[in-house]
Amino acid sequence: MSFASAGAVFGGPGSWKAEIPPGWDIFGVTNGGFLVSVATRAMASEADSRDLIAANGIFLNPADPGPVEVDVSTLKAGRSLSILRARISREERPLVHVNAVFAEPGRPVPEQNLVDGEPPDLPPPAECVLAEPARDGTLPPPFVGMVEVRGHPDDMAGTSGEKTGISMMRGWFRLRDGEPLNAHAVVMATDSLAPAIFNSHYPTGWTPTVELSVQVRNPNPQGWLACRFTTRFVTDGMLEEDGELWDEEGRLVALSRQLALVPR
């Protein structure tokens, strides 16, 4: 099933519906990035064809496959930016709240750039490890069968018990069957690799996302995305994961930060 058809929204304005299909999940719980992308698709339909540039999701309850309702409201419709809010629920049970910012395409922007960073050091996709769902219910989860994730050989071993000791995951991401990327797929991509903490000396286990923030710098990237996710702070039972996504030409596509509970 393509990303475009999975979780597509219909209805509106204000009140939308979607069907969360099986497979886009982490052992029965819908991938958080995918769930946020359902909300941003509904909001985009009410944002006057503006580009998604930022989204923030707060996760309230786990979402398994099935029908959901997406209620959308516009908080601001300015000259160059629009801000919208969405609530995904099922039978009045809230699943996630999402705020998002949309920008007018072609708006004037300064020519000066500052990029104090660089893409991750990755072998070509063909030399990386293809993530495929495990048949015995262990890692990787069903979600990786719906997209194409190729992890750095040094990092992917962390999902099977061999750990580098560095809280970092690197890999390539794209949609399957040549499906083009868009800003909503980029949001999902920020939650597509195994948690960086799996390569540390913490136990591998369920790592529930509490909050996910994504800044989209290029809403229509081409080809593979080079991804790097790192965790530096694990305190009071919480961890952060910072993400960078770059295109094949070395241009920044998105930044992300995720707040999650430590593996349990």
Side-chain angles (χ1 to χ4, degrees):
M1 175 181 286
S2 70
F3 171 74
S5 60
V9 297
F10 57 94
S15 180
W16 301 80
K17 296 184 182 298
E19 182 74 24
I20 307 298
W24 300 83
D25 62 274
I26 312 299
F27 306 120
V29 178
T30 302
N31 172 270
F34 177 84
L35 196 61
V36 172
S37 80
V38 173
T40 60
R41 282 184 267 189
M43 287 187 278
S45 298
E46 301 195 23
D48 298 326
S49 300
R50 292 184 166 185
D51 292 331
L52 173 67
I53 62 169
N56 171 262
I58 302 292
F59 297 89
L60 304 174
N61 287 293
D64 55 0
V68 294
E69 299 83 40
V70 188
D71 295 316
V72 175
S73 58
T74 299
L75 304 182
K76 174 184 176 179
R79 180 177 302 174
S80 60
L81 297 177
S82 296
I83 303 173
L84 291 88
R85 174 179 295 165
R87 173 181 182 266
I88 298 183
S89 60
R90 177 177 296 152
E91 296 178 350
E92 301 301 323
R93 184 173 187 256
L95 303 177
V96 61
H97 285 185
V98 180
N99 291 331
V101 183
F102 294 81
E104 185 70 21
R107 69 193 187 284
V109 297
E111 295 182 1
Q112 297 87 352
N113 290 321
L114 170 64
V115 182
D116 188 10
E118 58 186 16
D121 183 13
L122 279 169
E127 298 177 16
C128 288
V129 181
L130 176 64
E132 298 181 279
R135 297 184 179 182
D136 60 359
T138 60
L139 294 168
F143 170 78
V144 300
M146 309 306 290
V147 297
E148 189 168 357
V149 173
R150 292 184 175 268
H152 194 298
D154 293 346
D155 299 345
M156 289 294 283
T159 63
S160 60
E162 300 178 20
K163 301 176 184 293
T164 65
I166 301 173
S167 295
M168 178 169 62
M169 284 284 179
R170 295 164 293 177
W172 296 98
F173 172 94
R174 70 179 179 184
L175 299 177
R176 288 189 176 271
D177 301 321
E179 184 178 0
L181 291 165
N182 57 27
H184 313 296
V186 168
V187 167
M188 180 181 66
T190 66
D191 195 27
S192 61
L193 271 66
I197 196 70
F198 283 8
N199 264 325
S200 75
H201 297 300
Y202 275 81
T204 299
W206 182 243
T207 311
T209 301
V210 177
E211 181 264 348
L212 173 64
S213 294
V214 182
Q215 297 177 13
V216 181
R217 301 298 178 89
N218 178 2
N220 295 292
Q222 305 296 315
W224 289 94
L225 299 181
C227 309
R228 175 172 53 225
F229 299 96
T230 58
T231 291
R232 296 190 300 155
F233 304 104
V234 183
T235 61
D236 297 321
M238 309 293 292
L239 64 87
E240 103 294 338
E241 182 174 275
D242 291 314
E244 301 174 15
L245 278 62
W246 304 75
D247 67 15
E248 294 181 68
E249 304 300 322
R251 293 173 299 220
L252 184 66
V253 172
L255 299 168
S256 67
R257 168 160 281 194
Q258 186 172 157
L259 178 68
L261 302 178
V262 298
R264 61 187 189 210

